[in-house]
Amino acid sequence: MKKQIISAFVILLTFSAIAQKTTEKKESKFELIANSKLGFAKLNQSGLVSLNGNTNAGELLLSIKIGKKWYLAPGFSVMEFNANPTINGNTASIKNTYLQIPVKAIGEYTVFGKEQSDSKILLTIGIGLYANTLLKSEIQTVAGNSSITNLGWNFGLSTQIGAKFILSDDLNLGIGIENQGDLNDMNKNNVSQKMRQIDAFYFSVGFKL
């Protein structure tokens, strides 16, 4: 009888620990989000026509819950802009590499009227600001290659809308669209430029911490 009581007590403690651990996970206010983005952009440069190209980016955010439905998500992103302009009658290849430091406010809302804690699909909306620097600009032509580094800083605004799919208490996936635009010019060596518009699709993976 004594062994049975001890066994029951051990089982009770085990289930209590598991339940407590599960509760702690559900109540976590922190989430690590990795975003992959593909899109199109328009680059404005002083003395030149607007340049259309494509972008790809990788972004890492630390999401912090600040309300029932809203999160604050700072992080960093590395983005590439690629374009093929015509220079002096010859086609060239331009690749710009940017480092962005975003801070986003992201809201999550239920889609089918369920409680947010029970819903497996959430509508996400977001708005944020970012600091942006052009780390390196590379130009390839038939005459040769050239590159310039550290081409200044500027700031921009981003908005997004998408869907979040809850796979488990610890893991989720997301898809959506994001729009970015620089608010001011980046000035360096008497050259000013800014990303006038970026329209991108994103795919995200989220991990609860």
Side-chain angles (χ1 to χ4, degrees):
M1 182 69 177
K2 185 177 181 180
K3 289 183 179 180
Q4 292 176 342
I5 294 175
I6 293 174
S7 298
F9 183 69
V10 171
I11 292 172
L12 181 61
L13 286 178
T14 302
F15 276 106
S16 297
I18 293 174
Q20 183 178 1
K21 187 176 181 181
T22 302
T23 302
E24 290 175 353
K25 285 184 178 180
K26 289 183 178 180
E27 294 178 352
S28 174
K29 293 185 177 181
F30 299 95
E31 181 179 346
L32 191 65
I33 303 174
N35 288 326
S36 177
K37 306 177 190 178
L38 292 172
F40 303 94
K42 180 173 289 187
L43 176 66
N44 284 1
Q45 295 176 291
S46 57
L48 299 173
V49 297
S50 298
L51 189 60
N52 295 310
N54 59 77
T55 63
N56 63 84
E59 183 178 62
L60 193 63
L61 302 172
L62 177 61
S63 177
I64 306 166
K65 193 169 185 178
I66 57 173
K68 186 176 180 181
K69 297 181 179 181
W70 283 89
Y71 298 79
L72 188 67
F76 69 92
S77 174
V78 177
M79 182 183 73
E80 286 187 356
F81 170 78
N82 295 277
N84 296 102
T86 300
I87 302 176
N88 296 327
N90 296 314
T91 300
S93 175
I94 292 180
K95 181 172 77 171
N96 289 349
T97 303
Y98 298 86
L99 172 66
Q100 295 184 343
I101 303 175
V103 178
K104 300 180 179 181
I106 301 173
E108 298 180 352
Y109 295 87
T110 57
V111 177
F112 300 112
K114 297 180 180 179
E115 291 293 331
Q116 187 168 350
S117 58
D118 298 328
S119 180
K120 297 299 181 181
I121 303 177
L122 298 173
L123 173 69
T124 62
I125 58 173
I127 186 170
L129 295 172
Y130 59 86
N132 182 53
T133 181
L134 179 51
L135 297 176
K136 188 175 184 179
S137 180
E138 301 173 83
I139 301 176
Q140 296 181 357
T141 66
V142 292
N145 303 333
S146 63
S147 64
I148 309 173
T149 59
N150 302 321
L151 294 173
W153 287 83
N154 65 351
F155 298 91
L157 176 70
S158 68
T159 58
Q160 68 180 62
I161 184 169
K164 183 176 181 179
F165 303 90
I166 309 300
L167 302 184
S168 70
D169 291 340
D170 300 318
L171 179 65
N172 61 77
L173 301 177
I175 56 172
I177 55 176
E178 183 176 54
N179 176 268
Q180 293 184 16
D182 292 349
L183 296 175
N184 63 307
D185 288 341
M186 185 182 296
N187 295 286
K188 190 70 177 287
N189 300 328
N190 297 319
V191 175
S192 63
Q193 59 181 302
K194 71 176 182 179
M195 281 290 185
R196 180 180 173 185
Q197 182 177 354
I198 302 173
D199 297 306
F201 294 95
Y202 72 82
F203 172 79
S204 68
V205 182
F207 304 92
K208 289 288 187 179
L209 301 179

